[in-house]
Amino acid sequence: MADVFHCIDLTDPDFCVAVLAIIFNPIFWNVVARWEHKTRGLTNLFGSAHTACYSLGFLIILLNVYRSHSFTEAMRKQPKLELLESPEAFYSGLAILGIGCLFVFSSYYALGFTGTFLGDHFGILKKEKVTGFPFNVMDNPMYWGSTANYLGITIIGGVRVGSYSHGATTIPGARPSQHNKAPVLATIPETRSTVLYMKDCGLVV
């Protein structure tokens, strides 16, 4: 434990901001999405489920950009790990980053904007179950891909603190949302069963 704190400058304001951003972002959009699902507050505010979903989606993108910026700035000021300052570590990090980007972008391509950004909570469901790559390889590939991106960037930068803090992107980011994204990934063709499912979720009356 002492070795961990030796490699992390806990007094660095940028580090504290990055940790807060990593924790806050997924909590925020999960709370807002569940609130929308129960009250249709955003849909009523914007006058359209699609407009509300796109607005929340763009806000999530801005929050994620700020989170990534904060993470990068925090790493620059943290102590370096000599073991990671080698060509092997650099190319390993680059490979992990590449795999992460593959999962993130292919997930977005398969789900689309509304499928990616909590459209199911706005009553926007896909007509067919998403079974292609990368969802035929693993569950929640976008979240694991994002985690791989942070880990890859950490290794490339040679900073140990990132290997600890990147785990925070998995815990609040992937775990709570696995339940939330299930309706999108489990949607079946629009038959009577789909209508019953939507009524159970409160998406139609």
Side-chain angles (χ1 to χ4, degrees):
M1 182 61 68
D3 182 59
V4 172
F5 287 109
H6 175 73
C7 297
I8 302 177
D9 182 7
L10 298 176
T11 63
D12 178 23
D14 288 331
F15 172 77
C16 297
V17 170
V19 171
L20 290 176
I22 289 172
I23 295 174
F24 170 79
N25 285 11
I27 293 176
F28 167 78
W29 67 61
N30 278 308
V31 170
V32 172
R34 293 185 181 187
W35 173 75
E36 163 64 20
H37 175 69
K38 292 181 179 180
T39 67
R40 289 294 178 262
L42 291 178
T43 297
N44 294 331
L45 176 64
F46 288 95
S48 165
H50 281 82
T51 302
C53 182
Y54 273 91
S55 299
L56 178 61
F58 283 121
L59 178 57
I60 291 174
I61 291 174
L62 292 177
L63 288 173
N64 284 342
V65 169
Y66 180 75
R67 179 181 67 180
S68 298
H69 170 73
S70 300
F71 182 85
T72 303
E73 289 299 311
M75 285 202 309
R76 289 177 180 175
K77 298 181 180 180
Q78 293 295 318
K80 300 288 185 178
L81 183 63
E82 185 177 351
L83 179 64
L84 297 180
E85 294 183 327
S86 66
E88 293 80 7
F90 175 82
Y91 288 113
S92 297
L94 201 61
I96 294 173
L97 178 62
I99 293 173
C101 289
L102 174 64
F103 282 131
V104 169
F105 289 118
S106 60
S107 297
Y108 178 83
Y109 179 79
L111 292 175
F113 191 94
T114 57
T116 299
F117 294 103
L118 304 165
D120 52 325
H121 290 75
F122 293 83
I124 306 171
L125 300 178
K126 299 185 72 65
K127 294 182 178 180
E128 297 180 353
K129 182 180 179 181
V130 179
T131 57
F133 182 84
F135 295 95
N136 58 353
V137 176
M138 66 171 65
D139 293 329
N140 305 292
M142 182 169 289
Y143 295 113
W144 294 117
S146 178
T147 301
N149 288 344
Y150 281 100
L151 179 59
I153 293 172
T154 296
I155 296 175
I156 291 173
V159 184
R160 178 181 291 187
V161 63
S163 63
Y164 299 113
S165 60
H166 95 278
T169 67
T170 304
I171 297 173
R175 297 304 183 185
S177 300
Q178 286 178 8
H179 170 75
N180 291 341
K181 297 300 291 182
V184 173
L185 304 181
T187 300
I188 58 177
E190 290 184 334
T191 62
R192 181 173 179 274
S193 298
T194 304
V195 176
L196 293 176
Y197 165 78
M198 293 173 70
K199 286 183 177 180
D200 290 339
C201 292
L203 301 179
V204 296
V205 294

